[in-house]
């Protein structure tokens, strides 16, 4: 039977349909296999930060997004990277930013050791943090800190930080403002928030023996070559000496020396001086510049040269000249009997400075018991061997240049080392009352300028100035021409 052309065309269409259907089935099968394989693939774990450590932040390098911390209770340092996905929380679980973390903070860190990357950083919930502490003391062994009535143990691995660097415990001064962090009653971290700087006086000759008041922080008598250790901040400085009262504004910066130039301050020329007498015999008549005076009282005389005449029955009369320079003085005369005059020279009046005393001044100085020293001082010396050629100041007073030796006094003292071209540094020392020499060898100083010049502006004091006490003899000295 012959197949018509119409049937042939139908057969070809049917065959083509079968071929196309088979290809489509193969494609669908491959797609199903791919989807099945994808569905059965093992997913990456959600938490890859399975390692953890407690520590104290040492450095936060924001440029390289790197954090270094000491593992708690050890000296081992761990370095980890962080990024925007790193979770930062405070000790209460509240979110915070990386810039809020500070050197010395105690943290719990979850990290991936393979990637050296931090997944989360949390302030340790069990830790304490006490700030704004400015009155404290550390014992001689550096094992305990006293804050008011509380005593804290200091962990042997505790770290101390100041302005981004680590320092030793003896570099802390009792007026530095600090933050302490720890667990229980043990300190693991100390951070200096408010440190100290230095104030030196230049051209202070007119003020030697007078007084300096630096705000409400420090009051001291002025001597040569002093370097005052002062908490950083802004102050009004009051300087007084008889006839002088000066005010200056100064800014003290941490670890910097501020120089206060006083070369323009001069002592006023004295107009009068106070004269006391010790005349024998008591019956003698004393004349000054031709006027009889009562020597049982002190008198005031103008500055300059005056004529003195003393006479008594049975004694030789003397006539001499003396000069009043403005200081308190005592004229002592012992007339010679006439019977002795043939073999003896005439007595010559002597003017000697009066003993230092200020009536009505409640401020007293006991040279044997200053700064809380023990009443019974056993002697010995402070010996400082290094750093070589550094100038040494103890409690603001110059003691010499290293190597140096000077008498010691017991108690707590601030020892300051100064050397041109190096950063000035202070230490707290506790000197025992044992009668033995105390030797110190301090670390080499850090190279740097360590100085600034400022503090010469005239201050306008808000309080009413308190006049400097002046001698007030009893009764008041009489005025004499």
């Amino acid at each position: 039977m012959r197949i018509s052309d119409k049937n042939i065309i139908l057969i070809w269409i049917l065959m083509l349909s079968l071929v196309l259907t088979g290809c489509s089935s193969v494609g669908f099968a491959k797609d199903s296999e791919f989807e099945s394989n994808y569905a059965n693939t093992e997913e990456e774990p959600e938490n890859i930060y399975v390692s953890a450590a407690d520590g104290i932040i040492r450095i936060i390098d924001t440029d390289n997004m790197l954090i270094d911390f000491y593992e708690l209770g050890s000296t081992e340092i761990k370095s980890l990277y962080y990024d925007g996905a790193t979770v930062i929380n405070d000790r209460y679980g509240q979110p915070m930013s990386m810039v809020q973390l500070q050197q010395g903070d105690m943290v719990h860190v979850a990290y991936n050791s393979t990637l050296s990357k931090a997944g989360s950083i949390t302030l340790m919930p069990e830790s304490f943090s006490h700030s704004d502490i400015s009155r404290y003391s550390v014992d001689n062994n550096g094992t305990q800190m006293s804050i008011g009535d509380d005593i804290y143990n200091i962990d042997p691995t505790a770290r101390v930080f100041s302005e981004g660097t680590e320092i030793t415990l003896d570099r802390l001064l009792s007026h530095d403002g600090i933050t302490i962090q720890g667990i229980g009653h043990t300190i693991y971290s100390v951070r200096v928030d408010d440190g100290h700087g230095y104030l030196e006086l230049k051209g202070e000759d007119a003020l030697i023996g007078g007084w300096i008041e630096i705000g409400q922080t420090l009051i001291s008598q002025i001597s040569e070559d002093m370097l005052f250790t002062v908490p950083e901040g802004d102050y009004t400085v009051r300087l007084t000496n008889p006839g002088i009262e000066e005010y200056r504004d100064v800014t003290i910066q941490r670890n910097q020396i501020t120089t206060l130039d006083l070369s323009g301050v001069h002592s006023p020329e004295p107009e009068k001086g106070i004269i006391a007498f010790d005349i024998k015999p008591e019956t003698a008549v004393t004349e000054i510049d031709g006027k009889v005076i009562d020597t049982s009282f002190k008198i005031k005389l103008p500055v300059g040269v005056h004529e003195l005449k003393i006479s008594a029955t049975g004694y030789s009369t003397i006539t001499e000249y003396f000069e009043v320079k403005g200081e308190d003085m005592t004229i002592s005369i012992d007339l010679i009997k006439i019977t002795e005059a043939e073999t003896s020279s005439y007595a010559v009046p002597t003017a000697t400075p009066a003993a230092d005393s200020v009536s009505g001044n409640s401020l007293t100085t006991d040279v044997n018991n200053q700064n809380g020293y023990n009443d019974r001082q056993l002697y010995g010396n402070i010996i400082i061997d290094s750093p070589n050629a550094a100038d040494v100041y103890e409690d603001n007073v110059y003691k010499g240049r290293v190597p140096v030796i000077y008498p010691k006094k017991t108690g707590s003292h601030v020892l300051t080392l100064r050397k041109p071209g190096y950063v000035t540094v202070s230490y707290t020392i506790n000197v025992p009352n044992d009668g033995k020499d105390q030797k110190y060898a301090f670390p080499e100083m850090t190279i740097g300028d360590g100085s600034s010049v400022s503090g010469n502006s005239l201050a306008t004091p808000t309080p009413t100035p308190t006049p400097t006490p002046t001698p007030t003899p009893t009764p008041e000295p009489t005025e004499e021409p």
Side-chain angles (χ1 to χ4, degrees):
M1 182 178 65
R2 184 179 176 182
I3 301 175
S4 67
D5 293 338
K6 184 178 181 180
N7 290 333
I8 292 174
I9 292 172
L10 292 174
I11 291 173
W12 277 106
I13 292 174
L14 180 61
M15 292 177 63
L16 181 60
S17 299
L18 292 174
V19 171
L20 293 174
T21 302
C23 291
S24 179
S25 299
V26 172
F28 288 142
K30 288 184 177 180
D31 287 342
S32 298
E33 181 181 358
F34 177 82
E35 293 175 359
S36 177
N37 290 338
Y38 180 84
N40 293 329
T41 299
E42 184 176 347
E43 293 184 0
E44 183 180 357
E46 291 183 3
N47 184 14
I48 62 172
Y49 305 105
V50 294
S51 299
D54 293 327
I56 301 167
I57 295 178
R58 174 176 175 264
I59 294 174
I60 300 177
D61 183 353
T62 55
D63 292 334
N64 297 304
M65 303 187 76
L66 184 69
I67 181 171
D68 284 3
F69 62 92
Y70 288 102
E71 291 203 47
L72 197 63
S74 77
T75 57
E76 182 179 347
I77 300 174
K78 186 175 292 295
S79 297
L80 299 172
Y81 291 99
Y82 66 89
D83 58 22
T86 302
V87 178
I88 315 294
N89 287 324
D90 64 15
R91 58 175 43 85
Y92 307 107
Q94 298 301 311
M96 54 189 299
S97 63
M98 199 71 186
V99 295
Q100 291 177 281
L101 293 177
Q102 298 185 65
Q103 193 177 44
D105 282 346
M106 298 182 65
V107 292
H108 177 81
V109 183
Y111 63 96
N112 183 295
S113 57
T114 303
L115 300 176
S116 295
K117 181 175 179 297
S120 65
I121 303 173
T122 304
L123 294 179
M124 291 179 60
E126 63 271 32
S127 67
F128 67 79
S129 178
H130 301 325
S131 303
D132 300 325
I133 300 171
S134 59
R135 293 295 173 187
Y136 52 89
S137 62
V138 179
D139 67 357
N140 290 338
N141 299 321
T143 58
Q144 289 186 328
M145 178 181 290
S146 298
I147 305 173
D149 296 330
D150 294 328
I151 297 178
Y152 292 85
N153 296 319
I154 302 174
D155 188 83
T157 63
R159 322 307 301 189
V160 185
F161 303 95
S162 176
E163 287 195 315
T165 62
E166 288 191 59
I167 61 174
T168 53
L169 272 170
D170 56 1
R171 292 273 304 276
L172 293 177
L173 305 187
S174 62
H175 51 57
D176 288 344
I178 62 174
T179 293
I180 61 171
Q181 298 190 44
I183 299 174
H185 240 59
T186 299
I187 297 172
Y188 286 92
S189 167
V190 180
R191 183 176 62 246
V192 179
D193 300 316
D194 298 300
H196 57 270
Y198 306 94
L199 178 68
E200 69 172 352
L201 305 181
K202 177 183 177 183
E204 74 276 21
D205 294 350
L207 289 154
I208 298 297
W211 293 87
I212 181 171
E213 300 172 44
I214 306 175
Q216 303 296 318
T217 300
L218 183 149
I219 180 171
S220 172
Q221 195 163 21
I222 301 172
S223 61
E224 293 182 352
D225 298 322
M226 300 186 77
L227 186 66
F228 299 97
T229 304
V230 186
E232 59 182 317
D234 298 323
Y235 298 92
T236 294
V237 177
R238 179 174 181 250
L239 303 124
T240 56
N241 216 9
I244 300 174
E245 184 169 28
E246 292 285 326
Y247 290 86
R248 295 288 190 275
D249 283 335
V250 298
T251 297
I252 303 298
Q253 301 178 28
R254 192 180 305 191
N255 300 326
Q256 300 292 309
I257 298 175
T258 298
T259 302
L260 189 57
D261 190 352
L262 302 170
S263 55
V265 179
H266 302 286
S267 298
E269 291 295 331
E271 297 180 355
K272 294 184 178 182
I274 297 177
I275 316 299
F277 298 90
D278 181 15
I279 307 296
K280 294 178 181 178
E282 295 179 355
T283 57
V285 176
T286 300
E287 300 176 53
I288 293 182
D289 298 332
K291 182 178 180 179
V292 177
I293 64 169
D294 186 350
T295 57
S296 60
F297 300 102
K298 295 179 180 179
I299 65 171
K300 290 181 180 179
L301 289 176
V303 170
V305 177
H306 299 269
E307 182 187 53
L308 173 70
K309 180 180 178 180
I310 303 177
S311 59
T313 302
Y315 293 82
S316 60
T317 298
I318 67 164
T319 300
E320 297 287 344
Y321 292 90
F322 67 97
E323 184 178 7
V324 176
K325 296 182 178 180
E327 301 91 350
D328 292 1
M329 56 189 297
T330 299
I331 295 178
S332 299
I333 299 290
D334 192 351
L335 293 181
I336 298 174
K337 290 184 178 181
I338 293 177
T339 55
E340 300 175 358
E342 297 177 358
T343 56
S344 304
S345 60
Y346 287 109
V348 178
T350 57
T352 57
D356 294 331
S357 63
V358 181
S359 301
N361 187 351
S362 61
L363 178 62
T364 60
T365 301
D366 181 358
V367 296
N368 296 315
N369 190 20
Q370 297 183 25
N371 297 328
Y373 300 141
N374 295 339
D375 291 335
R376 296 185 60 194
Q377 170 71 48
L378 301 178
Y379 295 99
N381 294 309
I382 294 291
I383 302 172
I384 302 176
D385 296 328
S386 63
N388 187 54
D391 290 321
V392 177
Y393 299 81
E394 184 180 272
D395 296 334
N396 308 319
V397 178
Y398 183 69
K399 293 298 183 180
R401 182 165 293 177
V402 178
V404 64
I405 179 171
Y406 58 89
K408 78 175 188 180
K409 290 184 178 179
T410 60
S412 178
H413 305 279
V414 174
L415 204 68
T416 301
L417 304 176
R418 180 183 183 184
K419 187 175 180 180
Y422 293 81
V423 177
T424 302
V425 62
S426 294
Y427 296 89
T428 297
I429 62 172
N430 293 288
V431 180
N433 187 21
D434 56 8
K436 299 178 182 179
D437 289 348
Q438 196 84 4
K439 296 184 178 181
Y440 294 93
F442 295 101
E444 290 301 319
M445 300 171 70
T446 303
I447 295 176
D449 180 21
S451 64
S452 62
V453 179
S454 65
N456 296 319
S457 61
L458 181 65
T460 301
T462 52
T464 302
T466 302
T468 303
T470 55
T472 54
T474 304
E476 179 73 10
T478 59
E479 297 281 353
E480 295 293 339

